[in-house]
Amino acid sequence: MVTIHLCIDTPDVAARIASAVRLAGFEPREIGDLRAQPALIIADGPLPGGPSQAPLVLLGDSAAPEAIAALDAGAVDLIDPRTPLSLIARRLRRLVDHRAARGAGEQFLRRVTHDLKSPLLNMKQMARFLAEDEPDLSPSGRRFAERIARNAERMTRVVERLSRLVDLSNTSLRIMRCHPVPAIREALLPVGLRLVVAGEVPEVWVDLSRFTQLVREVALNARQAETGGKTFANP
């Protein structure tokens, strides 16, 4: 049974949301009842214990400052408690299904990246050994071995980037106002690219770590496409 925890102060609103949760086929519990791992936490304000470890569904007005802050911090949805129960139930089912599908996808990616690391490392080491230490290898065979080593190294970088992206997807957003130019310039340094700014660039609201990672991934893809997947040194 999927458990949805409720942290709602108003009794009639809590009863209404609990009815919608049951209509969706889930089990409503009070926030303090931790007998089951919650799929979602539905609250009508900030949680008393700090940030939630489960996705947060907020009840209330979408224009309220606390609603905007909660959504910026990683809350997955905002529900008006006056919405018909059938629509709330349908929305909750979609949220839980999306959560389950995302978790299954992340778990699959973790298994794939973990299982690929050792074979790629062995492939790269054996190809390097053949290219550098095998005296009877023909010139064409040496070129093939070097090509295998380069491709194995490129695939290792792809696997490492996939692993980092999965880790980033599991962290809460930390939205802040910042100027994007220094962040972009820092992201481009390891890639060996230089940023040229034409005109004024306004400040933006972003999660700085995710924004920097995204810019770096895009730059890496562009640089590798330009160089044919070859490695490059930092400037």
Side-chain angles (χ1 to χ4, degrees):
M1 171 65 72
V2 173
T3 301
I4 294 181
H5 284 188
L6 306 181
C7 185
I8 304 170
D9 291 332
T10 309
D12 57 336
V13 175
R16 179 176 175 79
I17 298 302
S19 298
V21 170
R22 293 189 185 94
L23 186 60
F26 308 133
E27 177 68 22
R29 294 240 175 95
E30 292 295 326
I31 188 68
D33 186 353
L34 299 178
R35 289 175 295 177
Q37 180 67 30
L40 292 169
I41 292 179
I42 303 178
D44 57 0
L47 293 178
S52 167
Q53 293 184 354
L56 176 67
V57 179
L58 197 71
L59 298 177
D61 183 1
S62 61
E66 59 269 17
I68 297 172
L71 291 170
D72 285 345
V76 294
D77 203 359
L78 182 71
I79 291 179
D80 189 329
R82 299 165 295 183
T83 304
L85 293 185
S86 59
L87 293 182
I88 295 178
R90 190 177 304 170
R91 203 155 167 182
L92 291 175
R93 279 197 298 267
R94 269 204 307 267
L95 285 171
V96 172
D97 290 344
H98 174 74
R99 168 80 171 162
R102 177 178 170 179
E106 290 175 353
Q107 187 176 8
F108 172 76
L109 279 177
R110 288 189 186 280
R111 285 200 305 266
V112 168
T113 54
H114 179 269
D115 293 344
L116 284 176
K117 284 181 180 178
S118 292
L120 285 171
L121 178 61
N122 291 337
M123 186 186 305
K124 183 169 60 176
Q125 290 176 338
M126 287 187 290
R128 291 295 186 198
F129 172 78
L130 286 174
E132 297 172 3
D133 299 326
E134 179 54 54
D136 298 329
L137 195 64
S138 66
S140 60
R142 199 175 307 280
R143 287 195 299 272
F144 281 128
E146 290 173 349
R147 185 178 301 175
I148 291 171
R150 286 198 302 270
N151 285 331
E153 187 173 346
R154 180 174 63 85
M155 288 305 301
T156 299
R157 292 198 302 271
V158 171
V159 168
E160 290 173 349
R161 286 158 58 191
L162 273 176
S163 181
R164 289 197 300 270
L165 288 175
V166 172
D167 291 337
L168 279 174
S169 70
N170 286 319
T171 59
S172 298
L173 290 173
R174 292 177 175 84
I175 306 296
M176 63 180 68
R177 186 174 182 176
C178 67
H179 201 285
V181 171
I184 295 174
R185 184 172 285 120
E186 180 184 353
L188 295 181
L189 279 176
V191 188
L193 296 176
R194 186 171 60 90
L195 178 65
V196 178
V197 181
E200 294 186 3
V201 179
E203 291 186 332
V204 294
W205 288 89
V206 294
D207 181 303
L208 193 56
S209 64
R210 290 194 180 196
F211 177 72
T212 304
Q213 181 67 34
L214 177 62
V215 172
R216 184 174 295 124
E217 295 298 332
V218 172
L220 279 170
N221 288 339
R223 188 64 187 272
Q224 288 179 2
E226 179 187 17
T227 60
K230 296 179 181 179
T231 57
F232 47 86
N234 292 342

